[in-house]
Amino acid sequence: MTRVLLALVLLLCAATAEAAVRIKDIADIKGLRENQIVGYGLVIGLNGTGDTLRNAPFTEQSLQSMLENMGINVRNETTSTTNPARPTTLRTRNVAAVMVTADLPPSIGPGERMDVTVSSLGDATSLLGGTLVMTSLRAADGAVYAVAQGAVTVAGYSVGGQAQSVSQGTPTAGRIPNGALVEREVQGSLHEMEFLVLELKNPDFVTATRILDAVNRYAGGRYRSQIAFERDYRTIVLSKPRYVGPVRFLAEIGELTVEPDTPARVVINERTGTVVIGRDVRISTVAVTHGNLTVRVTEMPVVSQPAPFSRGQTVVVPQTVVEANEAGSQVAILSGVDLQRLVRGLNQIGLKPSGIIAILQAIKTAGALQADVIVQ
């Protein structure tokens, strides 16, 4: 079953790689990207699952600062006119310090909403049922671009008693749908760009050339001019006609289809036993055999009893049994003319994913694997 699934996955990847894709799926517009914003805040209303203020002093400090901004003094209190002031100790377990993160979409304006992610900082056990207090979200330049507030949605849970506990998912992290209100617009827009630049997600010389030819072929019939030229194997510069808006122009260019070229690459994940072989991987003719040697060591101690009235002692005599078994293996000739033949040759040997990984690494060492091997 494992070999059949591996073959199906590889054949599906090969068939998918041969299909043409849209330009907007393999390239981005330079300057139009998301911006990461982050903020520090408090989640309140927890049912005794918040931070322990003694173990999380930053939560106590934040709670005191928030209450003081609202005109409530909780840092000091005076017991009488003769006794000096002493600090107040907070014991609440309904508050948790969190980090709020979000991705600010491009061209989003003030007043629009977006989702945010809330993650606990202290020793809170769950954010279920909590509400995030108004939190400012800042970008790398230090400016506030959004403000987040609202009820936290948590997918996981954690319950338990003194002897046993049950948990599912991550109850200390959640999301607030439409929980952030945008306050500032990111500078830069399509109308301010003199040239529009396409950046390939997977840079490649052949793919860049195919995109260039497809755009110029379309522009020759649509605009009667050549509007695209390559800057390098990653970027393609587009000269927008004056009488066409940038949105419509990019919509037309993005719908053009090309067949991207993929490098010959083998990706191996030894932890999960995953092997992904690219379509253009080739193997020079080699003979491969693979066998497993199993060594079993069994300890069988024997108790030795002395004869009656011999004044001897009972001792334990060690006894070890060692068995070695090497399973039979086949010798197969691999010649990677195409991906299908390579998969068929590996399946003939009857290997598990760990065996395929070992063989591919050995073939690469022998210099017969004409591809890059990436081990994750």
Side-chain angles (χ1 to χ4, degrees), residues 40-51 53 58-67 70 72 90 92-100 118-121 124 126-135 148-154 171 176:
Y40 171 83
L42 294 176
V43 172
I44 62 175
L46 303 177
N47 188 17
T49 59
D51 293 339
L53 300 186
F58 49 86
T59 305
E60 183 178 7
Q61 295 173 7
S62 303
L63 180 60
Q64 291 174 347
S65 300
M66 181 186 69
L67 294 177
M70 296 181 177
I72 303 173
L90 301 178
T92 179
R93 285 295 307 272
N94 299 337
V95 181
V98 295
M99 293 297 295
V100 184
V118 181
S119 304
S120 175
L121 279 176
S126 177
L127 299 180
L128 183 64
T131 301
L132 177 68
V133 182
M134 186 173 59
T135 303
Q149 182 173 274
V152 181
T153 302
V154 179
I176 305 179

Side-chain angles (χ1 to χ4, degrees), residues 111-165:
E112 298 187 45
R113 290 186 173 273
M114 61 181 181
D115 299 345
V116 296
T117 301
V118 181
S119 304
S120 175
L121 279 176
D123 58 352
T125 57
S126 177
L127 299 180
L128 183 64
T131 301
L132 177 68
V133 182
M134 186 173 59
T135 303
S136 301
L137 303 181
R138 303 175 182 270
D141 57 358
V144 176
Y145 284 87
V147 176
Q149 182 173 274
V152 181
T153 302
V154 179
Y157 64 88
S158 177
V159 294
Q162 296 181 354
Q164 188 177 8
S165 61

Side-chain angles (χ1 to χ4, degrees), residues 15-47:
T16 304
E18 296 175 356
V21 299
R22 298 176 299 181
I23 292 180
K24 67 180 182 180
D25 296 328
I26 59 177
D28 295 325
I29 306 300
K30 185 176 181 180
L32 293 182
R33 64 178 181 85
E34 295 182 341
N35 292 273
Q36 296 178 337
I37 52 180
V38 64
Y40 171 83
L42 294 176
V43 172
I44 62 175
L46 303 177
N47 188 17

Side-chain angles (χ1 to χ4, degrees), residues 101-361:
T101 58
D103 292 331
L104 191 65
S107 303
I108 190 171
E112 298 187 45
R113 290 186 173 273
M114 61 181 181
D115 299 345
V116 296
T117 301
V118 181
S119 304
S120 175
L121 279 176
D123 58 352
T125 57
S126 177
L127 299 180
L128 183 64
T131 301
L132 177 68
V133 182
M134 186 173 59
T135 303
S136 301
L137 303 181
R138 303 175 182 270
D141 57 358
V144 176
Y145 284 87
V147 176
Q149 182 173 274
V152 181
T153 302
V154 179
Y157 64 88
S158 177
V159 294
Q162 296 181 354
Q164 188 177 8
S165 61
V166 178
S167 62
Q168 181 179 0
T170 306
T172 55
R175 293 181 62 83
I176 305 179
N178 294 328
L181 188 65
V182 178
E183 299 291 344
R184 178 179 298 186
E185 184 178 1
V186 179
Q187 298 296 327
S189 64
L190 290 175
H191 297 278
E192 299 177 359
M193 299 180 183
E194 182 178 359
F195 294 97
L196 302 177
V197 181
L198 295 177
E199 291 185 337
L200 273 67
K201 298 179 181 179
N202 297 314
D204 184 82
F205 290 101
V206 177
T207 304
T209 303
R210 292 176 181 175
I211 293 178
L212 178 68
D213 296 339
V215 172
N216 284 331
R217 184 167 53 250
Y218 173 80
R222 178 72 167 82
Y223 306 114
R224 299 293 189 270
S225 62
Q226 303 295 308
I227 62 173
F229 60 93
E230 71 276 15
R231 178 177 297 174
D232 50 40
Y233 76 111
R234 177 187 294 271
T235 57
I236 298 173
V237 181
L238 304 178
S239 178
K240 181 184 69 65
R242 295 182 178 179
Y243 56 88
V244 180
V247 177
R248 177 177 295 275
F249 175 72
L250 291 176
E252 296 177 356
I253 297 301
E255 290 296 326
L256 301 179
T257 59
V258 296
E259 181 181 344
D261 189 64
T262 56
R265 184 173 298 168
V266 177
V267 181
I268 295 174
N269 192 323
E270 295 182 335
R271 295 174 300 174
T272 60
T274 303
V275 181
V276 178
I277 304 176
R279 178 186 59 177
D280 296 324
V281 173
R282 297 293 183 268
I283 294 182
S284 303
T285 303
V286 291
V288 177
T289 180
H290 183 77
N292 295 324
L293 177 62
T294 303
V295 179
R296 178 179 299 175
V297 179
T298 305
E299 296 290 345
M300 303 177 61
V302 178
V303 179
S304 176
Q305 291 284 358
F309 307 104
S310 62
R311 297 183 180 180
Q313 295 181 353
T314 302
V315 296
V316 179
V317 180
Q319 182 177 352
T320 304
V321 178
V322 181
E323 298 179 1
N325 181 22
E326 185 174 5
S329 59
Q330 301 177 356
V331 178
I333 297 178
L334 301 181
S335 180
V337 179
D338 51 23
L339 180 60
Q340 288 79 2
R341 183 174 299 182
L342 172 60
V343 174
R344 192 181 307 115
L346 292 175
N347 288 336
Q348 287 177 356
I349 309 178
L351 296 176
K352 296 181 179 180
S354 59
I356 295 178
I357 292 175
I359 284 182
L360 291 176
Q361 291 177 336

